[in-house]
Amino acid sequence: MYKQLPRKYWQDIEFIFNTNWQYQENHNVFTRLGDAFLIVSPGKIICFTENAEALHQITSKREAFPKPTEAYAILGQYGQNVVTLEGAQWRMHRKITSASFNEKNASLVFKESISQTLGLINMWLGPDGLGNKTFKTIEQDTASLMLNIIASVGFGLKILWPGQEFPADADPRLAKYATQEAPEGHTMSFVNALARTLDYLILLLVVPKWMLRIVPSKRAKVALEAESNFVGYLNEFLQEKIEDVRKGNSAEGLDIMGSLVRTSYGQQPENGSAVTGSGKKGPQIARLSDSEIIGNAFINIVAGHESTANVLHFALVELATNPASQRRLQQDLDNIVGDADPNTWDYDAKMNFLLGSMVGASVNETLRLVPPVVDIPKMVSPNQDQPITIDGEKYLLPRKATIGMVVVASQRSPRYWPTKPSKITDAETDIDDFVPERWLQTESTKNENTKVDGADTEDFGGYAGSDTSAQLYRPPRGAYIPFSDGARACLGRRMAIVELVSALAVIFQRYSIELAVDEWASDEKVKGMSKDEKARVYKMAQQKSRVTVKGATSMITLKLHGDKHVPVRMVRRGEERFVNWMDS
């Protein structure tokens, strides 16, 4: 319809009618329109920006540029939480929930990630233990891996892979929730209910329940059944953990929901947070309601599962598509962990080395190209206009204006990143290519003045360190914010990085990931090929892989939707057909 108007009215902004424009167009839009531009309509003003200086200012001043909580309201269906709130309520939730996100617990995540990744590898090897079979389920399998880890992180559960068994002396409650069978009172196992709820999450969040009940759809029926089971499990976990606190039972290991319960039902909050009251009894302890505990447990699952699973999926695909980078990563692993059993790896001794190696660089490069969230929404305070400075020029953003922080564009702007001519396309730079080696440069961008007037100074708890290793390239502040930045940065970002680095290290220590070429040649045919013929067939697989990843779409998080997939094989190192000699 808009094309009925003269072209001059819409030609510069036609891209915004593509709901996936941030990922599809990314930096190219800002090349045409500038580092920041406004979309103005009678009822709304939206400012989109990729400028790192502006992004740093916006994320540094939470009250001047708050989160538009109405955009996240649907995520409060199971209880208000740290994502859906702002102001004093958010501050309380943040301080309580941040207590679990510390280095001690990160080391527990490290061990659980190793254990669960070894289980995934055994599944990929198959019953004969040989591997080297094509599978198209890498996205679902990485999702299962992260579900298993988040079950441990969030609830203190131990989820088993097919073929694994609990020891006879295991806690019967753990065994009850870890099996693939539905326990009494449920029609789905916990793992299945959780997985299906996440599969149909958008449907469950957007469509009213009454409508789902009357729609003659199998998907709607399964979604409702999964949600009913999942919410039932959450309430069971809550009551069990409340009972543990009242009996004085202290759980070992990481258990975020248990920590929230202990904070809210124990005598003293574990993180020392309090709401100062004026009554004679002194300070009032800040506590969460039962629905808020469940709401925060739910949001930790969503944020800690899907985003991390998608990044791991893309990282494995990119390393299979870029064999030279995979080989360099394996060389670093040979130097850092050698042949040591992953179960013996020590977090304190190994993590910093892994973060500063090609393992950490590959995680960073994946997050740069395909971040979980491509556009982080903010707004200008409704109380007054707010200034931002870009390249020395001050601009005033009107109150209540919406802001789109297009991080995927900032993270692809040649202005902020070391680049070389692309080896893959005829582009002038390799900014759109997967090149983790760019992070190995020791000379970072000259530190410009990153001090922001009026920036937040309060400590809201949680991990306060950098998202990248000091041994790797450091882009300007604001140019790399896959987990956002400032007070509203992702609480679990350190744990997400630990999970990703651990999983890649365990997989590539003894195995390689190759793109499957079944579409173009059978195994028998590949055996008879010359090196040049193998190179040609693998280049076809590389081309298709890159096109497929380019087709990712953002629905809550950026991922491959529908039937899009990249088939791969896991092979033992030394048995590769392609990646041990192919270039990118």
Side-chain angles (χ1 to χ4, degrees):
M1 183 179 294
Y2 65 89
K3 289 190 176 180
Q4 301 304 311
L5 298 170
R7 186 177 181 84
K8 65 180 181 179
Y9 291 122
W10 52 263
Q11 63 180 355
D12 290 334
I13 62 167
E14 184 180 14
F15 64 87
I16 66 169
F17 296 107
N18 173 5
T19 56
N20 200 40
W21 72 264
Q22 292 93 334
Y23 178 63
Q24 293 294 329
E25 299 288 337
N26 57 73
H27 173 66
N28 297 325
V29 166
F30 296 92
T31 299
R32 299 195 303 269
L33 300 180
D35 277 8
F37 60 87
L38 300 179
I39 301 293
V40 181
S41 67
K44 198 170 190 177
I45 296 176
I46 306 175
C47 172
F48 289 107
T49 182
E50 69 158 11
N51 182 271
E53 185 182 5
L55 296 181
H56 179 42
Q57 293 169 65
I58 292 166
T59 55
S60 296
K61 299 194 285 186
R62 184 184 62 83
E63 293 186 357
F65 300 102
K67 193 175 200 174
T69 52
E70 65 275 6
Y72 295 86
I74 59 174
L75 295 175
Q77 286 192 23
Y78 306 108
Q80 293 301 313
N81 56 73
V82 71
V83 170
T84 62
L85 296 170
E86 255 296 356
Q89 285 184 304
W90 169 82
R91 183 179 285 104
M92 181 191 74
H93 278 247
R94 170 81 182 200
K95 288 195 172 184
I96 291 175
T97 55
S98 66
S100 296
F101 297 94
N102 53 55
E103 278 298 281
K104 178 183 176 182
N105 285 339
S107 69
L108 297 174
V109 171
F110 178 68
K111 288 189 177 298
E112 184 63 21
S113 299
I114 288 172
S115 173
Q116 291 292 348
T117 304
L118 290 171
L120 171 64
I121 288 172
N122 286 332
M123 186 182 78
W124 280 347
L125 289 174
D128 60 9
L130 298 177
N132 200 15
K133 300 176 182 67
T134 296
F135 55 94
K136 304 176 181 180
T137 57
I138 186 171
E139 181 175 10
Q140 296 90 326
D141 295 341
T142 52
S144 295
L145 172 64
M146 293 306 165
L147 273 179
N148 289 7
I149 295 172
I150 200 66
S152 172
V153 171
F155 305 106
L157 303 178
K158 180 71 175 180
I159 305 300
L160 302 180
W161 291 94
Q164 293 181 329
E165 294 182 358
F166 263 109
D169 59 348
D171 184 338
R173 285 193 304 185
L174 294 182
K176 169 186 174 183
Y177 296 124
T179 64
Q180 298 296 321
E181 302 298 323
E184 185 177 350
H186 294 275
T187 59
M188 288 183 178
S189 68
F190 169 70
V191 175
N192 195 29
L194 175 55
R196 296 289 78 74
T197 298
L198 294 172
D199 285 344
Y200 297 113
L201 186 59
I202 295 177
L203 186 69
L204 289 165
L205 293 177
V206 174
V207 181
K209 299 297 184 291
W210 65 265
M211 186 176 295
L212 290 176
R213 293 188 187 98
I214 63 174
V215 171
S217 163
K218 183 177 179 181
R219 292 178 74 245
K221 182 179 179 180
V222 173
L224 286 172
E225 181 185 5
E227 182 189 50
S228 175
N229 278 271
F230 176 56
V231 172
Y233 280 119
L234 289 181
N235 281 290
E236 284 180 28
F237 295 154
L238 176 63
Q239 295 309 315
E240 288 176 358
K241 294 177 191 304
I242 291 173
E243 188 67 20
D244 284 341
V245 170
R246 287 174 174 163
K247 289 180 177 179
N249 299 334
S250 59
E252 295 183 2
L254 180 56
D255 176 359
I256 291 176
M257 191 180 199
S259 176
L260 297 179
V261 170
R262 289 192 295 276
T263 299
S264 298
Y265 280 86
Q267 292 301 311
Q268 296 292 333
E270 294 186 345
N271 62 342
S273 63
V275 177
T276 303
S278 57
K280 296 180 181 179
K281 294 183 180 180
Q284 299 174 352
I285 302 302
R287 304 181 190 275
L288 301 179
S289 67
D290 287 359
S291 68
E292 290 171 335
I293 291 173
I294 289 178
N296 279 290
F298 164 75
I299 210 66
N300 277 319
I301 289 172
V302 174
H305 151 259
E306 178 154 316
S307 58
T308 316
N310 293 338
V311 174
L312 179 59
H313 166 218
F314 286 127
L316 292 171
V317 168
E318 289 288 8
L319 287 165
T321 307
N322 298 275
S325 295
Q326 183 174 162
R327 292 195 298 274
R328 189 162 180 179
L329 180 150
Q330 289 170 327
Q331 290 170 4
D332 280 0
L333 284 173
D334 292 343
N335 293 328
I336 296 169
V337 298
D339 292 328
D341 181 348
N343 287 308
T344 68
W345 295 353
D346 179 74
Y347 176 80
D348 293 327
K350 299 298 182 186
M351 182 49 64
N352 284 338
F353 287 108
L354 291 170
L355 288 171
S357 73
M358 270 290 286
V359 182
S362 296
V363 170
N364 293 352
E365 184 72 348
T366 306
L367 284 165
R368 184 186 73 83
L369 290 172
V370 278
V373 179
V374 297
D375 181 347
I376 301 173
K378 294 281 187 178
M379 64 178 290
V380 180
S381 165
N383 300 322
Q384 65 182 68
D385 301 343
Q386 295 293 340
I388 60 169
T389 301
I390 298 178
D391 296 333
E393 292 287 333
K394 185 173 285 189
Y395 302 89
L396 204 61
L397 291 178
R399 68 187 71 187
K400 297 184 180 181
T402 297
I403 299 173
M405 301 196 304
V406 190
V407 298
V408 72
S410 178
Q411 294 176 180
R412 292 187 184 224
S413 172
R415 175 178 180 179
Y416 307 124
W417 301 92
T419 62
K420 296 178 180 179
S422 176
K423 295 180 180 180
I424 298 168
T425 68
D426 58 0
E428 291 183 5
T429 75
D430 58 5
I431 194 68
D432 291 321
D433 302 338
F434 180 81
V435 186
E437 291 82 359
R438 80 176 80 244
W439 292 87
L440 301 180
Q441 297 194 32
T442 55
E443 183 179 348
S444 297
T445 298
K446 292 181 181 179
N447 285 328
E448 302 168 2
N449 182 14
T450 59
K451 184 178 179 180
V452 175
D453 292 335
D456 300 320
T457 57
E458 182 178 352
D459 180 8
F460 297 105
Y463 177 70
S466 172
D467 289 338
T468 60
S469 168
Q471 308 303 314
L472 300 179
Y473 173 75
R474 287 284 183 87
R477 193 76 183 268
Y480 178 72
I481 52 172
F483 298 106
S484 192
D485 200 3
R488 299 289 320 216
C490 173
L491 262 174
R493 66 189 190 278
R494 175 65 171 182
M495 291 186 180
I497 294 294
V498 169
E499 290 170 11
L500 292 164
V501 167
S502 306
L504 290 181
V506 173
I507 291 170
F508 287 105
Q509 181 198 26
R510 293 175 180 159
Y511 300 92
S512 295
I513 301 291
E514 295 191 314
L515 298 175
V517 298
D518 307 46
E519 182 178 343
W520 301 278
S522 66
D523 288 358
E524 202 62 36
K525 188 174 180 180
V526 171
K527 283 181 182 178
M529 285 182 174
S530 66
K531 226 173 185 182
D532 287 344
E533 290 171 326
K534 286 182 179 180
R536 281 195 293 272
V537 76
Y538 203 76
K539 284 189 180 297
M540 288 190 282
Q542 288 173 304
Q543 175 63 21
K544 186 167 184 180
S545 170
R546 291 183 175 114
V547 170
T548 302
V549 171
K550 182 66 176 175
T553 51
S554 184
M555 296 171 63
I556 297 185
T557 58
L558 184 66
K559 63 183 294 186
L560 297 181
H561 289 277
D563 61 354
K564 292 187 177 73
H565 64 273
V566 178
V568 297
R569 291 189 178 194
M570 185 182 74
V571 299
R572 296 183 190 278
R573 289 178 62 179
E575 299 178 4
E576 301 94 342
R577 301 186 297 175
F578 305 100
V579 298
N580 58 335
W581 59 272
M582 277 283 299
D583 291 326
S584 298

